[in-house]
Amino acid sequence: MRFAIQIGASFIVVTIFVGFIWFAKIANWPTWVIGVSLFVLFVLFTVLMTFLSLSLQPKKQEDEHEED
């Protein structure tokens, strides 16, 4: 299930990037604005995907029968 969620999130991210580039081309933005915007989006989505991956990892359960 975790794998499917990560694949779905990756597909959404790619769709957002393609849509953003398409919109920037239609809006005739300067190249430097597109570059800076893509860099900011890349950093933002990298952080969000990291949090998603960390939240989907199984929690480590402490062994109740630890010997000291």
Side-chain angles (χ1 to χ4, degrees), residues 5-58:
I5 292 172
Q6 288 178 334
I7 293 295
S10 297
F11 180 75
I12 290 170
V13 168
V14 168
T15 304
I16 289 172
F17 271 91
V18 170
F20 178 79
I21 292 172
W22 177 74
F23 175 75
K25 184 178 179 182
I26 289 175
N28 201 19
W29 288 0
T31 305
W32 69 270
V33 172
I34 297 171
V36 169
S37 301
L38 286 175
F39 179 75
V40 169
L41 279 175
F42 176 76
V43 170
L44 176 70
F45 282 118
T46 301
V47 170
L48 290 175
M49 290 297 281
T50 301
F51 283 132
L52 176 66
S53 295
L54 290 176
S55 67
L56 292 176
Q57 286 183 354

